[in-house]
């Protein structure tokens, strides 16, 4: 499961680079695929983001029906940060930069 979130984070970084000329508004649904180094097949990724000023919430996962929610994320210029719970005591941390 940890590898899945790593790939989602990398994918989101790649997708968000498309909106990057100014402070981004990343609200919306983002989907795509990513091929990880050392792997032969591309994997799907899907996220639903909601930005309210510099606050970020939403969900991420491999598709629209398999999503893990998060709250308390932040948008700081072209940088997004958020944690996604992965069980009772584990959280996946994401730091994404829009280019």
């Amino acid at each position: 499961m940890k590898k899945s979130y790593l790939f989602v984070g990398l994918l989101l970084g790649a997708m968000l680079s498309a909106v990057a000329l100014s402070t981004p508004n990343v609200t919306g649904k983002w989907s795509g695929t990513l091929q990880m180094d050392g792997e032969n097949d591309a994997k799907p990724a899907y996220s639903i983001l909601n930005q309210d000023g510099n606050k970020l919430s939403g969900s991420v996962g491999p598709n629209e029906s398999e999503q893990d929610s998060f709250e308390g994320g932040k948008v700081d210029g072209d940088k997004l940060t958020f944690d996604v719970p992965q069980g009772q005591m584990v959280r996946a941390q994401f730091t994404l930069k829009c280019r």
Side-chain angles (χ1 to χ4, degrees):
M1 190 66 135
K2 187 175 181 180
K3 193 173 194 178
S4 174
Y5 284 108
L6 172 62
F7 121 82
V8 171
L10 293 173
L11 173 69
L12 287 174
M15 290 185 305
L16 294 176
S17 67
V19 296
L21 294 178
S22 62
T23 301
N25 182 340
V26 296
T27 296
K29 296 180 179 182
W30 298 82
S31 65
T33 59
L34 180 69
Q35 186 168 348
M36 300 289 289
D37 287 341
E39 293 186 9
N40 294 328
D41 60 335
K43 300 190 189 276
Y46 193 91
S47 64
I48 303 168
L49 302 178
N50 183 33
Q51 182 178 343
D52 181 12
N54 69 341
K55 297 177 184 175
L56 186 67
S57 61
S59 61
V60 296
N63 57 53
E64 190 168 9
S65 64
E66 294 180 61
Q67 294 283 294
D68 290 313
S69 298
F70 70 89
E71 293 183 5
K74 295 180 182 171
V75 178
D76 183 13
D78 62 354
K79 186 167 104 175
L80 310 177
T81 56
F82 57 93
D83 294 344
V84 178
Q86 293 186 342
Q88 192 172 4
M89 297 184 62
V90 178
R91 300 181 77 77
Q93 295 180 327
F94 293 90
T95 300
L96 308 174
K97 185 171 181 177
C98 300
R99 296 186 219 180

